[in-house]
Amino acid sequence: MQRKLLLNIGDRGFFAADSNQIGAKARTVLRRQARWLRKNPGLKVRIEGHSHDNGSHEDDLVLSLRRAEQVRDRLIEEGVPADKISVFGRGRASPVAICDSARCAAQNRRGITLVYRADRATPYRQRVSLPQPRR
């Protein structure tokens, strides 16, 4: 199901530097995610917030959690039941791009929606191989 979400809807939204505000493009993705999730009521969601900002390690953890919470709140506004959503802040722990340029680093400032069946405890993402960070 995670692959279906990724390929058909999109599984992530991006944030501006040092911000947890959801932009227009991310709102569009979240609206489509919510519609898809309402059509698949047997799924639960884990939102992972990520950061690659100029703050300390602790600041990035807090910011990543706030990003995840913003994504959760938006999905709830779009009709996804709150009891189906959990959030987790990963800080800088899982970059998708390792680089020096601001444009490249922006790929790491994201919120990712991970789906799993309600009768399983492990998000699908942990069972599929994902691409390694680009250098």
Side-chain angles (χ1 to χ4, degrees):
M1 292 304 284
Q2 185 69 38
R3 191 177 256 348
K4 285 184 181 181
L5 176 66
L6 173 65
L7 296 175
N8 297 319
I9 307 298
D11 68 347
R12 63 196 64 198
F14 296 94
F15 293 84
D18 299 315
S19 174
N20 67 337
Q21 298 303 307
I22 297 173
K25 288 182 183 180
R27 280 193 304 273
T28 299
V29 170
L30 293 173
R31 189 174 306 116
R32 291 179 13 212
Q33 284 182 8
R35 189 177 315 122
W36 187 80
L37 289 165
R38 289 191 313 267
K39 291 179 183 178
N40 292 280
L43 297 176
K44 286 196 170 191
V45 178
R46 176 177 168 164
I47 306 299
E48 285 189 355
H50 296 265
S51 181
H52 189 268
D53 295 277
N54 296 322
S56 67
H57 175 73
E58 293 79 19
D59 290 343
D60 276 354
L61 280 173
V62 169
L63 181 56
S64 67
L65 179 59
R66 288 185 178 150
R67 287 173 174 165
E69 290 169 342
Q70 285 293 318
V71 171
R72 176 199 59 207
D73 293 349
R74 188 64 183 193
L75 288 174
I76 292 169
E77 287 174 18
E78 294 288 341
V80 178
D83 64 343
K84 295 208 178 230
I85 305 171
S86 63
V87 296
F88 187 75
R90 300 205 32 110
R92 297 180 185 188
S94 299
V96 293
I98 300 171
C99 48
D100 294 328
S101 75
R103 185 176 187 148
C104 179
Q107 298 172 70
N108 295 318
R109 297 189 303 264
R110 67 204 187 280
I112 300 177
T113 301
L114 303 171
V115 296
Y116 57 99
R117 288 182 33 184
D119 61 347
R120 295 187 184 170
T122 306
Y124 285 118
R125 178 179 180 198
Q126 294 178 3
R127 288 188 239 131
V128 298
S129 64
L130 297 176
Q132 295 298 311
R134 292 186 301 188
R135 296 194 182 265

